[in-house]
Amino acid sequence: MSEKKSYPTRAQLKARPGQLAGTSWGLFSSPSAGAPDKIDAAKRVQAATSVRLGETFGLDYPINAFSPGMSKTRGAPEHHIFGNHPAHRDDYLDNFYLQGSSQIDGLRHRRSDEVGFYNGVPDEQIIAGTAELGIQYWSDQPIVTRGLLLDLAGYVASLGQQLDHQGGQQLPFSLLLEAMNHQGISVEPGDALMVHTGWSEWFLALSPEEKSRQRDSGKATGLAQSEQLLDWTWDSGLSILAADNFAVECLPPVANSPFLDSAPNDRGMMHQEFLAKLGLPLGELWRLGPLARRMGQLDRWDCLLSIKPLNLIGGTGSPANATAVL
């Protein structure tokens, strides 16, 4: 078996010259691979040992679940069924936003205001029909690895508190470390981390009017923007970071975000750092509640995780099509 590849720390990435500074450009086997390339055959074999009960959990909500949702541009898909004759049925979708529900962000989803798209792919190549950085790469080579669930909602509840989803609570990196210590979670290279905040279940329980008001407020619970979070995410070797909230990170970004200058079009969000610089995909709006509750019953937090996006050449994102197996 080949020796496991090591990668520079994020501090070392920042010391790379010119446009390479702070990026993982050129470090993986393919320009479109990104951080899931950290998952090798040995990692997948290890992930299979997390299957001890044979219980399966689909981690996607229905494609029309978030309607209205937090996005002001993504509408609900329209499902049409037709028949060519009495014994035949076929169907198609209109207005299908691929990131309208549980989804994975592809490397095309964000462009760095500083250095452009991941691996320096020119803007003019990021169009429909071209393959560079497209979501199809992770469909051809599905992401299969050990998944770890971090139950932030459960940890906060154990302290006699609850997260303020209406206020869009900003979750500091220190809270993640506390919850990981509480659960006894140890992250290893190639792992996927799924963060359960309870946001999606809270939001979906609102009335349509309440959902619209929450959308208009622009507030969504999420991870607070910080250099420490990015350092840890990269240095720990994560292949993907997913959550059950709208954007993984909090909205609006924290007032003192260190990325206000580097990501002005995103108002200081970390998306450009994760996707355009580090090549680390984000999963959003995942259905983690049932999995979190079952893992809590078992007092175990690892699973075999499979993610297979749509095989859409040049897609910027896709329904996650994520499955956890215990």
Side-chain angles (χ1 to χ4, degrees), residues 122-152:
D123 290 8
E124 57 269 20
Q125 291 184 19
I126 306 299
I127 57 175
T130 59
E132 291 83 357
L133 307 183
I135 200 72
Q136 80 284 343
Y137 187 90
W138 298 327
S139 180
D140 289 337
Q141 302 188 45
I143 300 170
V144 179
T145 190
R146 186 176 75 145
L148 298 174
L149 188 135
L150 184 62
D151 189 7
L152 281 187

Side-chain angles (χ1 to χ4, degrees), residues 173-225:
F173 177 54
S174 59
L175 181 64
L176 269 70
L177 294 180
E178 291 174 18
M180 283 189 286
N181 183 64
H182 176 74
Q183 294 178 222
I185 286 178
S186 179
V187 175
E188 299 174 1
D191 282 343
L193 185 67
M194 300 173 284
V195 181
H196 174 242
T197 68
W199 184 90
S200 282
E201 290 184 322
W202 169 83
F203 183 84
L204 291 174
L206 299 177
S207 69
E209 294 75 21
E210 290 171 328
K211 290 176 183 175
S212 294
R213 284 197 294 271
Q214 191 66 32
R215 177 197 63 204
D216 293 342
S217 77
K219 296 178 180 178
T221 298
L223 306 181
Q225 292 76 19

Side-chain angles (χ1 to χ4, degrees), residues 12 34 88 102 117 125 140 169 171 194 206 243 248 256 292 300:
Q12 291 170 328
H88 168 263
S102 307
F117 284 102
Q125 291 184 19
D140 289 337
Q169 186 165 339
L171 308 174
M194 300 173 284
L206 299 177
V248 176
N256 62 342
R300 54 164 289 202

Side-chain angles (χ1 to χ4, degrees), residues 29-230:
S29 63
S30 165
S32 298
D37 208 42
K38 294 180 178 181
I39 306 166
D40 58 14
K43 185 65 186 183
R44 287 186 282 272
V45 170
Q46 180 210 32
T49 66
S50 291
V51 179
R52 300 193 282 277
L53 300 175
E55 297 179 7
T56 58
F57 292 81
L59 305 183
D60 290 62
Y61 282 105
I63 61 174
N64 62 350
F66 295 89
S67 179
M70 287 295 291
S71 172
K72 296 181 179 180
T73 57
R74 298 170 184 159
E78 300 171 7
H79 184 203
H80 304 275
I81 298 178
F82 67 95
N84 291 334
H85 53 72
H88 168 263
R89 295 295 183 274
D90 203 337
D91 54 359
Y92 64 94
L93 293 170
D94 280 330
N95 203 46
F96 181 22
Y97 286 83
L98 302 185
Q99 298 176 61
S101 184
S102 307
Q103 48 100 359
I104 179 172
D105 286 343
L107 299 182
R108 287 186 164 203
H109 181 54
R110 274 301 195 280
R111 176 192 188 281
S112 165
D113 288 328
E114 291 185 310
V115 294
F117 284 102
Y118 188 67
N119 264 325
V121 174
D123 290 8
E124 57 269 20
Q125 291 184 19
I126 306 299
I127 57 175
T130 59
E132 291 83 357
L133 307 183
I135 200 72
Q136 80 284 343
Y137 187 90
W138 298 327
S139 180
D140 289 337
Q141 302 188 45
I143 300 170
V144 179
T145 190
R146 186 176 75 145
L148 298 174
L149 188 135
L150 184 62
D151 189 7
L152 281 187
Y155 173 64
V156 170
S158 74
L159 302 176
Q161 305 169 22
Q162 61 182 11
L163 297 177
D164 178 14
H165 294 311
Q166 183 175 4
Q169 186 165 339
Q170 301 167 348
L171 308 174
F173 177 54
S174 59
L175 181 64
L176 269 70
L177 294 180
E178 291 174 18
M180 283 189 286
N181 183 64
H182 176 74
Q183 294 178 222
I185 286 178
S186 179
V187 175
E188 299 174 1
D191 282 343
L193 185 67
M194 300 173 284
V195 181
H196 174 242
T197 68
W199 184 90
S200 282
E201 290 184 322
W202 169 83
F203 183 84
L204 291 174
L206 299 177
S207 69
E209 294 75 21
E210 290 171 328
K211 290 176 183 175
S212 294
R213 284 197 294 271
Q214 191 66 32
R215 177 197 63 204
D216 293 342
S217 77
K219 296 178 180 178
T221 298
L223 306 181
Q225 292 76 19
S226 73
E227 292 281 4
Q228 292 86 352
L229 174 62
L230 279 163

